[in-house]
Amino acid sequence: MTTVQKIKEIEDEMNRTQKNKATSYHLGQLKAKLAKLRRELISPTGGGGGGGGLGFDVARTGIATVGFVGFPSVGKSTLMSKLTGTHSEASEIDFTTLTTVPGTLKVHGAPIQVLDLPGIIEGAKDGRGRGRQVIAVARTCHLIFIVLDVLKPLGDKKLIETELEGFGIRLNKKPPNITVRKKDKGGIAITNTVPLTNIDQDEIKAVLSEYKISNADVAIRQAGVTADDLVDVIEGNRVYIPAIYVLNKIDAISIEELDLLYKIPMSVPISSREWMNVDELIEKMWETLNLVRVYTKPRGLAPDYSAPVVLRRGKCSVDDFCNSIHKEIAKQMKYAVVWGASAKHTRGQKVGLDHILEDEDVVHIAKK
């Protein structure tokens, strides 16, 4: 029996099993088994993983990477060509784009790499088509644009989410606040600072048992966690990526239908062909990427606002700023003077390497 068939068999059994106290242990085991089988699909034994493949690996440029994911012929290539000026073959025929096409888009002075990925098909996570390679590239992106055709049923949105979820990508979510600490003896100890509403102790023990964990301290500090969240923590290979739903071809629908589309969370309706509402999409992308622009100020001169140093939120200390310009600067620095949102005074604040910078701060480095 193939891995895909085993997955189908477990999914069918889970659908047949009614959830109650008597079946929670069994369901927990099934969910853990399912996750282990999916892991086999992501990185088959001896197969060298699901990434790569001719035309799929691209050199990374820019401060952040945005990947276009969608079914064939939804307008990804047209949007890519107009955003970046990079030619990506566009046609009404399915599967026109067969490899990853990279391009660069400058937003607020920050170079952002955009990847037009080939159209995925239903069953991609199970190895159909080139889906595994496409989703493997999507796993490495900082933001995913899920491009949908508004003229097709919005059921496509759910199908793409299922494909990406099956490959360990969690969209618009944060890692669950669960810790599993293995120990040598003492059995399973479960502590929770919030009520367990969607998982019980039997289910937790069943999941741990399936992973052959018999001694561990489990701490749950987040309300509403499920057995799937626990599996994600144990597997440890999940990636949490923000996604924007790009609802394309709005030039072909009515105003009433457009109002309904705006109710979909994290979505931006656009028309890539007529270039409608694309500015809003670019602003939403910038806001979601959460980047930090820092301007340099040479001694005795005005700040240079033409070429900001762009850092990622979470890696935006003065040390990160120095290293992004040159590795030696941090070693030679005596102190830095910062003006802007992160400074305590409007006249500037003298800071050290560990000071965290905010967007549009101005920095002067004083050398030893």
Side-chain angles (χ1 to χ4, degrees):
M1 192 186 282
T2 66
T3 308
V4 176
Q5 286 170 330
K6 286 178 188 170
I7 286 172
K8 179 81 174 73
E9 201 173 76
I10 290 175
E11 283 175 341
D12 289 346
E13 190 176 343
M14 282 169 69
N15 290 335
R16 284 196 306 269
T17 310
Q18 205 173 2
K19 186 169 181 181
N20 54 49
K21 189 137 182 72
T23 60
S24 65
Y25 189 89
H26 180 56
L27 278 169
Q29 280 189 316
L30 290 177
K31 283 175 182 175
K33 275 180 187 166
L34 192 61
K36 283 158 83 178
L37 288 169
R38 288 220 181 284
R39 192 205 313 145
E40 279 178 36
L41 275 182
I42 294 171
S43 47
T45 353
L54 188 63
F56 281 85
D57 283 337
V58 289
R60 291 306 162 96
T61 59
I63 184 68
T65 305
V66 178
F68 285 22
V69 172
F71 286 124
S73 301
V74 290
K76 297 192 302 296
S77 299
T78 307
L79 183 58
M80 163 83 172
S81 300
K82 289 192 174 181
L83 275 176
T84 64
T86 305
H87 179 66
S88 182
E89 196 63 48
S91 160
E92 293 299 316
I93 306 164
D94 286 357
F95 302 107
T96 313
T97 305
L98 298 173
T99 59
T100 300
V101 180
T104 304
L105 169 67
K106 255 201 164 175
V107 185
H108 301 310
I112 293 165
Q113 187 179 47
V114 179
L115 302 179
D116 181 15
L117 300 169
I120 63 171
I121 55 172
E122 196 177 345
K125 67 181 186 301
D126 302 328
R128 286 189 64 199
R130 302 296 297 273
R132 189 180 285 160
Q133 289 95 326
V134 174
I135 300 176
V137 176
R139 273 178 69 94
T140 64
C141 293
H142 298 105
L143 171 65
I144 293 175
F145 276 1
I146 295 177
V147 188
L148 301 164
D149 184 341
V150 295
L151 302 174
K152 292 180 181 169
L154 278 176
D156 284 3
K157 173 178 176 283
K158 186 68 191 159
L159 289 173
I160 290 174
E161 286 170 347
T162 305
E163 297 302 325
L164 296 175
E165 286 262 332
F167 220 75
I169 296 174
R170 301 292 174 259
L171 300 171
N172 298 325
K173 286 182 184 172
K174 287 190 173 146
N177 196 345
I178 301 172
T179 51
V180 178
R181 194 171 56 82
K182 293 179 190 175
K183 53 189 183 181
D184 296 331
K185 55 186 178 181
I188 303 294
I190 301 164
T191 56
N192 52 292
T193 57
V194 289
L196 300 179
T197 50
N198 297 328
I199 189 171
D200 58 31
Q201 300 225 354
D202 282 347
E203 215 167 346
I204 294 169
K205 286 174 182 171
V207 170
L208 295 172
S209 152
E210 188 57 41
Y211 282 98
K212 298 184 168 49
I213 299 171
S214 47
N215 298 295
D217 291 329
V218 180
I220 297 174
R221 301 183 187 89
Q222 182 183 326
V225 296
T226 63
D228 294 322
D229 292 327
L230 177 61
V231 166
D232 284 352
V233 169
I234 295 169
E235 282 284 333
N237 63 351
R238 306 307 193 225
V239 289
Y240 296 82
I241 305 176
I244 294 172
Y245 299 97
V246 183
L247 309 173
N248 195 15
K249 306 185 185 177
I250 58 167
D251 51 305
I253 62 169
S254 68
I255 295 291
E256 290 75 21
E257 289 169 311
L258 184 58
D259 286 342
L260 288 172
L261 292 179
Y262 265 107
K263 292 180 180 171
I264 299 169
M266 288 298 287
S267 71
V268 181
I270 66 153
S271 168
S272 55
R273 187 182 288 174
E274 301 298 328
W275 207 242
M276 291 164 65
N277 214 31
V278 177
D279 291 345
E280 186 185 327
L281 175 63
I282 293 170
E283 278 310 311
K284 183 80 172 171
M285 175 184 77
W286 176 260
E287 183 192 307
T288 309
L289 284 171
N290 207 4
L291 300 175
V292 175
R293 292 161 293 174
V294 182
Y295 302 105
T296 55
K297 185 191 178 302
R299 188 175 181 177
L301 297 172
D304 178 9
Y305 291 110
S306 61
V309 174
V310 185
L311 305 169
R312 296 192 57 73
R313 184 76 62 184
K315 287 189 176 178
C316 55
S317 65
V318 172
D319 192 24
D320 295 317
F321 168 75
C322 293
N323 288 331
S324 68
I325 300 170
H326 195 282
K327 296 268 186 287
E328 291 300 310
I329 293 179
K331 294 175 189 171
Q332 297 166 6
M333 188 186 102
K334 188 177 180 184
Y335 61 86
V337 182
V338 177
W339 295 265
S342 73
K344 285 180 183 170
H345 326 290
T346 51
R347 64 180 182 275
Q349 182 188 350
K350 201 185 275 190
V351 298
L353 286 171
D354 55 354
H355 178 80
I356 301 299
L357 298 164
E358 288 295 331
D359 191 30
E360 298 198 275
D361 276 358
V362 173
V363 177
H364 166 69
I365 303 291
K367 293 187 178 179
K368 290 173 184 170

